[in-house]
Amino acid sequence: MILCSGESLIDMVPEGGTFRPLAGGAVYNTAIALGRLDAPTAYLWPISRDPFGEVLLRPLTEAGVDIGLCPRSDRLTTLALVTLTDGDAVYSFYDEGSAGRMLSPADIPTLPDRIEAIFTGGISLVPDPCGAAVEALIERNHARLPIMIDPNIRPFFIANPKAFRARLHRILPQADIVKLSTDDLEWLHPGIDPEDAARKVLALGPKIVLQTGGASGARAFWSGETVSAPAIRTTVADTIGAGDTFNAGVLASLRNQGVLNKDGITEITGEQLLAALTLGAQAAAITVSRPGANPPWADEMPT
């Protein structure tokens, strides 16, 4: 079972001159996508008892995601106001004192034996105490469980870039897989070619660094030759949840191939990486073809 730990929130998406509330959040979206792809999935993040909390729980339950590790909170749900520019999503967050924001390291439980891998990242890495809580989850479990991190960097959300860079420098070496967009790499290593920037991250210690670039497809940097997979051509409604769904496709593929474990990732082949990138791209293409973060179900995927 893959444990996803990170933000859940309500995306206020523009629709007909007003805003429609939709369940979202980078790590939450990945959990939903994994569940819909029939990968055994669990979720760890506080869920508010406010009405938006119920909105968040419903898709998790429908996707078969295990929510037994989710604490309930009387604090409010995080809101993200979404605006679209040429189909690309731009966010403004309302997060101070929210249910997720106030997760602390003391709230992180001992993980049950059924957990076989961890996925985390997103804006939950940025503020404290929740950023420290995610860091504690990684620190306590990286020696025995494979960790995948997608920082999903939102510069406007980062009040203290120096502190955030320091956190990334601590946690990225503990990850087995790191996924970064071209924009993420530019933030981490300004002015450096994305491939060189990805290799700088690889040198920190991860076994695999995945670089995504929208229409330019995805690449995997590892100990072997670079593996590339093209993007799948489709009509784009918007890009909300695209990278999150890509992450789910990669994880589901690795699990299906039996390599989502410490030994499997260490001994992975180029063919296995290509299969993972391809499934990620296929899943993401379906998500971007329809409005909002609406990942595909297993029966919608190409056979």
Side-chain angles (χ1 to χ4, degrees), residues 26-298:
V27 180
Y28 173 90
N29 291 339
T30 297
I32 297 294
L34 277 166
R36 290 185 177 188
L37 291 173
D38 291 339
T41 307
Y43 186 55
L44 167 57
W45 203 248
I47 302 291
S48 175
R49 294 187 179 90
D50 68 13
F52 283 139
E54 297 305 314
V55 173
L56 289 167
L57 285 175
R58 193 177 306 115
L60 289 167
T61 302
E62 291 173 351
V65 176
D66 184 338
I67 57 173
L69 294 174
C70 291
R72 299 305 298 271
S73 172
D74 290 327
R75 295 180 179 274
L76 297 176
T77 299
T78 298
L79 301 182
L81 190 67
V82 183
T83 55
L84 299 175
T85 303
D86 296 328
D88 290 327
V90 179
Y91 300 84
S92 299
F93 292 93
Y94 298 81
D95 189 47
E96 194 68 36
S98 69
R101 174 78 167 263
M102 301 312 293
L103 182 73
S104 73
D107 298 321
I108 300 297
T110 299
L111 300 184
D113 291 342
R114 65 181 181 276
I115 302 302
E116 56 191 306
I118 295 172
F119 172 80
T120 190
I123 62 169
S124 50
L125 293 175
V126 179
D128 287 327
C130 67
V134 174
E135 189 169 349
L137 174 70
I138 295 168
E139 172 63 32
R140 295 172 194 172
N141 294 283
H142 75 94
R144 67 183 186 89
L145 295 176
I147 308 285
M148 179 174 176
I149 298 175
D150 177 3
N152 198 23
I153 297 169
R154 307 291 187 188
F156 55 84
F157 191 76
I158 302 168
N160 188 337
K162 182 178 179 181
F164 185 54
R165 287 180 185 276
R167 172 161 288 154
L168 292 179
H169 208 75
R170 291 191 299 271
I171 65 174
L172 294 185
Q174 299 175 23
D176 298 276
I177 305 170
V178 176
K179 195 274 275 191
L180 297 156
S181 69
T182 302
D183 289 342
D184 294 338
L185 290 165
E186 172 62 24
W187 189 88
L188 283 171
H189 298 288
I192 296 179
D193 177 82
E195 179 171 347
D196 293 336
R199 293 196 181 280
K200 281 182 175 289
V201 176
L202 187 67
L204 293 175
K207 300 293 189 298
I208 302 165
V209 173
L210 306 178
Q211 180 221 337
T212 56
S216 63
R219 294 187 290 179
F221 301 92
W222 58 306
S223 59
E225 292 187 7
T226 301
V227 176
S228 299
I232 308 298
R233 291 194 174 192
T234 188
T235 300
V236 176
D238 62 53
T239 60
I240 300 171
D244 312 326
T245 306
F246 172 84
N247 292 334
V250 167
L251 287 165
S253 176
L254 294 176
R255 189 181 187 278
N256 291 342
Q257 295 181 80
V259 294
L260 191 57
N261 53 71
K262 287 288 189 178
D263 290 341
I265 291 173
T266 298
E267 299 169 4
I268 199 165
T269 66
E271 290 77 10
Q272 289 167 331
L273 276 173
L274 179 59
L277 293 180
T278 300
L279 188 64
Q282 291 170 337
I286 295 174
T287 297
V288 302
S289 72
R290 49 203 192 191
N294 186 7
W297 295 85

Side-chain angles (χ1 to χ4, degrees), residues 1-20:
M1 181 170 281
I2 302 167
L3 176 67
C4 297
S5 184
E7 76 271 10
S8 57
L9 49 82
I10 296 296
D11 282 323
M12 304 298 290
V13 179
E15 184 178 276
T18 183
F19 290 91
R20 179 186 178 195

